Amino acid sequence: MNSPALSILTQDVNFKDIKGSTFKDCNMHHVSINNSFITDCLFENANMNHCDLLSTKIFSSTFNNVDLDGADIFSMFFSNCKFINTDFSAAGIEDITFSDCIFEECDFNGVGLKNCQFKNCIFRKIKPDSSTFSLNRFEKCTFSDCIFKGSFVYQIFQYCQFDKVIIDSNILKYNYGLGNLLGITYLYKAKEMLNGDMLKQNLLADCVEQKLFINAVLVDYNFSHEINPKLAVKTIEAINIMIKKELLLRADELTFLKNLFHHLFINNLIAPIVLYRLFEELKKIDIGDCHNNIVLNKSRETLYIISNSLYFDFCDFCEQLKKTIGQTNSDIVPVNIKIHYNEEPKIPLDLMLNQYFPNTFRRISTEEGSFLEYLEVGQYGLEILNIFLQLLGITIPIIYSEIKEKHKKSQPQTVIRKNVEINVISSQADKNVSELIQNTCQLINSSDILVDDQQGYNNTNIQEIEVQYHINIQA
């Protein structure tokens, strides 16, 4: 087939915009395609081995029985594309976004797949062998009749579905989001094993025996519905242990932890205060003294990257928190705050907060049943409570109500009560809010609240928070 389009393909050129073209039964060996837009095209029975696909966007196109053996595919964007019987073997695939794509019986043997994002993709009958999948992210993807073994490491899976999928359980030591899922059969030492506590304990024992301290934490992550804050801190402690024992740390592993912490934070799987705690824990590692420690010398740069990522994520949160706190008026002092819990917290709220903010909170009374707590709050108390709740990732909305007291000289007092929304812009200085946030961070960090259930201060245990104000009206 000698078409004008094919004659262009026989040389290294830059496509600018190709729409609705068909490339069938053609030899495109060693072709270079870059800085282009390809839309509604069909590649069928095409030899594209050892070609270069670079910095190009491809939309609504089909690759059917296409040979991409040994191709270099970098910095691409694929949307609504189909790959059917496509041979990716020995290809280098990196920094790619695949959105709404289908992979049907494709050959991924010997592939290096790294730093790619798959969103709403479908994988059918994919069985990579002798391949390296690393630092990829799979979001809302579907896998059926797939087998994953070998070097399949440092991936993040979110909201994915599985059907008749076989996974080497060793993979649970190196990835996040693959434990306790329906549709997966786990192989433990080449034998089929049901997922559950026994599999978890076996994998943890393997990690301890092999001195894979970080991987032991990842195993626990995979079998936990919620991330224990203390467990997240253990990750940094594990890094410190490995550095002191001079056990080599993989750069990919540390990069994965950076990605994982960010993923857990933006998806509300860990509280914002955990970022602060992780950053403080990283500061305990003497990153500057690397002359006599090979492990520290090799990992120093990546540790700085993790530290910076935690710092900037937390700073972004604090900036948003300042805006929220700025919408309350500290000049109006609440009469009381009523908090409805399922169960009484293990540490009284007033006792804990008064350690850093003396005489700001006073418990008036409590009621049993579930558990009701009434607090009287002084100046800045509402701001401090807001900061405390948001740092712990508590998203229970606060109900504001007025208690209006109308006074006349000759008539008895009349009390009118109704629910309102308070939205008063505060004039307090930004510096004061920053100090409140900093002090609350130190309070939480020094307390024993960052455990599995946060001592009862969590979205499950707190049912309702009501703030009541007195407003006097002179008639």
Side-chain angles (χ1 to χ4, degrees):
M1 175 182 177
N2 292 316
S3 65
L6 184 58
S7 64
I8 295 174
L9 286 170
T10 59
Q11 49 190 306
D12 291 344
V13 296
N14 295 344
F15 290 147
K16 295 305 178 187
D17 197 355
I18 292 183
K19 294 182 180 180
S21 297
T22 298
F23 305 95
K24 186 175 181 180
D25 300 318
C26 56
N27 186 0
M28 301 160 67
H29 175 68
H30 273 296
V31 162
S32 177
I33 303 173
N34 59 81
N35 299 320
S36 304
F37 293 86
I38 299 175
T39 308
D40 296 320
C41 290
L42 171 63
F43 297 81
E44 188 168 14
N45 299 324
N47 178 10
M48 298 179 68
N49 63 45
H50 294 90
C51 73
D52 293 329
L53 298 177
L54 309 170
S55 304
T56 292
K57 293 182 177 180
I58 302 181
F59 303 90
S60 303
S61 297
T62 298
F63 295 78
N64 185 12
N65 197 28
V66 173
D67 182 4
L68 285 166
D69 179 15
D72 288 330
I73 309 172
F74 296 120
S75 301
M76 300 278 292
F77 179 85
F78 292 88
S79 176
N80 198 29
C81 293
K82 293 181 181 179
F83 300 88
I84 303 170
N85 293 315
T86 301
D87 184 3
F88 290 101
S89 58
I93 306 173
E94 187 169 345
D95 186 31
I96 315 290
T97 296
F98 296 93
S99 179
D100 300 290
C101 294
I102 296 175
F103 298 85
E104 181 90 42
E105 295 191 79
C106 296
D107 188 348
F108 281 95
N109 292 331
V111 166
L113 183 73
K114 186 175 182 180
N115 286 323
C116 295
Q117 292 190 7
F118 297 87
K119 298 179 180 179
N120 301 306
C121 293
I122 297 173
F123 298 84
R124 298 192 187 102
K125 298 183 179 179
I126 306 299
K127 303 173 183 178
D129 190 22
S130 302
S131 301
T132 299
F133 283 54
S134 178
L135 293 172
N136 304 300
R137 180 186 174 95
F138 300 86
E139 182 179 348
K140 297 180 181 178
C141 294
T142 301
F143 300 83
S144 60
D145 295 299
C146 299
I147 299 176
F148 295 110
K149 299 179 181 179
S151 188
F152 192 79
V153 296
Y154 310 132
Q155 264 78 223
I156 293 176
F157 291 81
Q158 184 181 24
Y159 308 129
C160 294
Q161 296 182 340
F162 301 86
D163 179 46
K164 299 177 183 177
V165 174
I166 297 173
I167 291 180
D168 186 344
S169 60
N170 200 52
I171 285 173
L172 296 176
K173 302 175 187 175
Y174 297 91
N175 299 272
Y176 172 77
L178 286 175
N180 279 337
L181 296 177
L182 296 175
I184 298 180
T185 299
Y186 298 93
L187 299 180
Y188 179 71
K189 297 183 178 179
K191 295 181 180 179
E192 182 177 329
M193 187 169 189
L194 296 175
N195 56 327
D197 191 59
M198 183 177 292
L199 176 58
K200 174 184 174 181
Q201 295 306 321
N202 287 342
L203 293 173
L204 287 174
D206 290 345
C207 290
V208 173
E209 181 181 348
Q210 298 164 16
K211 293 183 172 60
L212 300 173
F213 302 112
I214 296 175
N215 305 81
V217 177
L218 293 178
V219 169
D220 213 309
Y221 282 169
N222 276 307
F223 288 94
S224 301
H225 295 294
E226 296 181 357
I227 301 300
N228 186 328
K230 222 166 193 176
L231 187 61
V233 176
K234 289 282 186 186
T235 312
I236 307 300
E237 292 178 359
I239 292 173
N240 205 356
I241 290 171
M242 294 184 73
I243 289 173
K244 289 179 178 178
K245 291 181 177 290
E246 297 201 43
L247 301 172
L248 288 177
L249 292 159
R250 290 180 57 169
D252 280 3
E253 185 172 38
L254 294 177
T255 302
F256 169 65
L257 287 178
K258 175 189 74 71
N259 297 343
L260 181 58
F261 291 146
H262 179 70
H263 167 81
L264 295 175
F265 170 62
I266 63 174
N267 287 283
N268 301 315
L269 296 171
I270 57 173
I273 188 63
V274 177
L275 298 181
Y276 178 88
R277 184 70 176 269
L278 290 169
F279 180 75
E280 290 294 309
E281 199 65 32
L282 265 173
K283 286 165 62 176
K284 296 178 182 178
I285 301 175
D286 191 358
I287 299 176
D289 185 17
C290 62
H291 299 291
N292 299 318
N293 190 314
I294 295 174
V295 175
L296 185 56
N297 192 34
K298 288 173 64 67
S299 58
R300 182 185 181 190
E301 183 177 344
T302 314
L303 290 173
Y304 277 130
I305 293 173
I306 296 175
S307 183
N308 289 340
S309 177
L310 292 169
Y311 176 78
F312 286 119
D313 273 347
F314 188 70
C315 283
D316 287 343
F317 162 78
C318 287
E319 287 303 314
Q320 293 300 317
L321 182 55
K322 287 178 186 178
K323 294 177 183 178
T324 303
I325 300 305
Q327 294 176 353
T328 60
N329 193 336
S330 60
D331 296 329
I332 302 176
V333 180
V335 175
N336 58 50
I337 296 174
K338 181 176 75 173
I339 306 179
H340 181 191
Y341 306 90
N342 278 333
E343 296 179 357
E344 182 178 1
K346 299 181 177 96
I347 304 174
L349 184 60
D350 60 327
L351 183 64
M352 180 165 45
L353 295 179
N354 282 337
Q355 291 179 26
Y356 272 72
F357 308 100
N359 304 317
T360 304
F361 298 86
R362 184 174 71 87
R363 179 183 279 185
I364 303 170
S365 64
T366 62
E367 294 179 16
E368 298 295 335
S370 40
F371 186 77
L372 291 173
E373 178 180 38
Y374 295 87
L375 297 169
E376 187 177 69
V377 178
Q379 191 175 29
Y380 297 125
L382 184 56
E383 287 90 335
I384 294 166
L385 181 63
N386 259 302
I387 292 169
F388 175 79
L389 295 173
Q390 293 194 48
L391 282 170
L392 291 177
I394 297 170
T395 57
I396 304 300
I398 297 177
I399 301 170
Y400 294 93
S401 64
E402 290 178 352
I403 299 177
K404 290 187 177 180
E405 298 180 352
K406 185 181 289 186
H407 296 278
K408 281 190 177 181
K409 291 182 180 179
S410 59
Q411 293 185 358
Q413 172 178 301
T414 302
V415 177
I416 305 169
R417 177 173 175 176
K418 67 174 183 177
N419 290 336
V420 297
E421 287 191 14
I422 303 296
N423 187 19
V424 183
I425 302 301
S426 173
S427 60
Q428 61 179 300
D430 185 69
K431 180 182 177 182
N432 290 341
V433 178
S434 298
E435 289 177 355
L436 291 177
I437 293 173
Q438 179 66 25
N439 288 337
T440 310
C441 286
Q442 293 175 0
L443 163 67
I444 297 174
N445 200 33
S446 63
S447 68
D448 195 27
I449 195 172
L450 290 181
V451 293
D452 190 11
D453 64 347
Q454 295 181 169
Q455 305 288 17
Y457 297 101
N458 56 66
N459 287 305
T460 303
N461 195 44
I462 298 178
Q463 295 300 297
E464 185 179 85
I465 301 172
E466 181 180 358
V467 177
Q468 299 173 342
Y469 288 91
H470 265 311
I471 297 181
N472 295 321
I473 303 174
Q474 297 296 326

